[in-house]
Amino acid sequence: MILSVLQAIGLFLATNIDDIIVLSLFFARGAGQRGTTTRILAGQYLGFVGILGAAVLVSLGAGAFLPPEVIPYFGLIPLALGLWAAWQAWRRRHDDDDDEAKIEGKKVAVWAVAGVTFANGGDNIGVYVPVFLNVGPAAVVAYCVVFLALVAVLVIVAKFIATRRPIAEILERWEHVLFPLVLIGLGVFILISGGAFGL
């Protein structure tokens, strides 16, 4: 169980680095307004519960209808996402306005944060499904509990970063490198540990 908790922490960090930047922008947008932190926290939880719900439902369906020997090949999902993210980062290496565009023209409202969180969570679902398929039900529950606890930590960190611009700029500069590397590593790990392709 301790191993599952540690893996969940690592997985959460790997899939939510970009959320820190987006949430920091929401905090910057709502600076000086009463209730900004509460609305952002509520929105982040709503969006993330949607992401977890989708991942669990997909993994339950896949686990019921697919033979066990097919499950390790779900490692191809995070591998493909990582390669795609690396390709996108390479193509848009001079584009600094991607995250600003995500919240442009939006007020800091619960639905706005939840919408951006869920829309930004397609990669999370793609990564969580193969992981959930390769662990037992108790581990899935442990993952979900850890993820939900870390959502609050994520919001706190984003608020901290929003008040320290140099840190946000450094994180934004390196996220495009770390995110693909972690996804590719995760995909390779799932493929190898599950014995896919006779590995």
Side-chain angles (χ1 to χ4, degrees), residues 50-52 54-56 58 77 81 118 121-130:
I51 290 169
L52 276 183
V56 169
V58 170
I77 296 173
L81 287 170
F118 190 78
D123 55 342
N124 296 50
I125 296 169
V127 173
Y128 297 163
V129 168

Side-chain angles (χ1 to χ4, degrees), residues 65-131:
F65 298 109
L66 293 176
E69 59 270 16
V70 173
I71 292 175
Y73 291 95
F74 276 82
L76 292 170
I77 296 173
L79 178 61
L81 287 170
L83 292 172
W84 176 253
W87 169 248
Q88 291 294 97
W90 183 79
R91 283 184 59 219
R92 300 177 183 175
R93 55 193 180 279
H94 300 298
D95 182 8
D96 297 318
D97 302 321
D98 186 50
D99 290 313
E100 282 83 350
K102 291 178 182 177
I103 64 169
E104 187 178 358
K106 293 180 183 286
K107 295 180 180 179
V108 180
V110 172
W111 65 266
V113 178
V116 169
T117 299
F118 190 78
N120 203 26
D123 55 342
N124 296 50
I125 296 169
V127 173
Y128 297 163
V129 168
V131 173

Side-chain angles (χ1 to χ4, degrees), residues 39-189:
R39 289 192 297 274
I40 291 174
L41 184 64
Q44 183 70 10
Y45 266 109
L46 279 176
F48 200 80
V49 165
I51 290 169
L52 276 183
V56 169
L57 287 175
V58 170
S59 59
L60 285 174
F65 298 109
L66 293 176
E69 59 270 16
V70 173
I71 292 175
Y73 291 95
F74 276 82
L76 292 170
I77 296 173
L79 178 61
L81 287 170
L83 292 172
W84 176 253
W87 169 248
Q88 291 294 97
W90 183 79
R91 283 184 59 219
R92 300 177 183 175
R93 55 193 180 279
H94 300 298
D95 182 8
D96 297 318
D97 302 321
D98 186 50
D99 290 313
E100 282 83 350
K102 291 178 182 177
I103 64 169
E104 187 178 358
K106 293 180 183 286
K107 295 180 180 179
V108 180
V110 172
W111 65 266
V113 178
V116 169
T117 299
F118 190 78
N120 203 26
D123 55 342
N124 296 50
I125 296 169
V127 173
Y128 297 163
V129 168
V131 173
F132 289 172
L133 285 171
N134 282 277
V135 297
V140 171
V141 172
Y143 271 78
C144 292
V145 169
V146 171
F147 287 167
L148 292 173
L150 289 176
V151 166
V153 175
L154 186 73
V155 172
I156 292 168
V157 170
K159 185 175 183 179
F160 176 83
I161 289 173
T163 60
R164 286 150 185 87
R165 189 63 187 166
I167 298 175
E169 289 171 356
I170 291 170
L171 184 60
E172 189 172 1
R173 186 178 304 126
W174 289 104
E175 181 271 332
H176 70 284
V177 175
L178 295 174
F179 184 66
L181 284 178
V182 171
L183 286 187
I184 291 169
L186 178 65
V188 170
F189 173 76

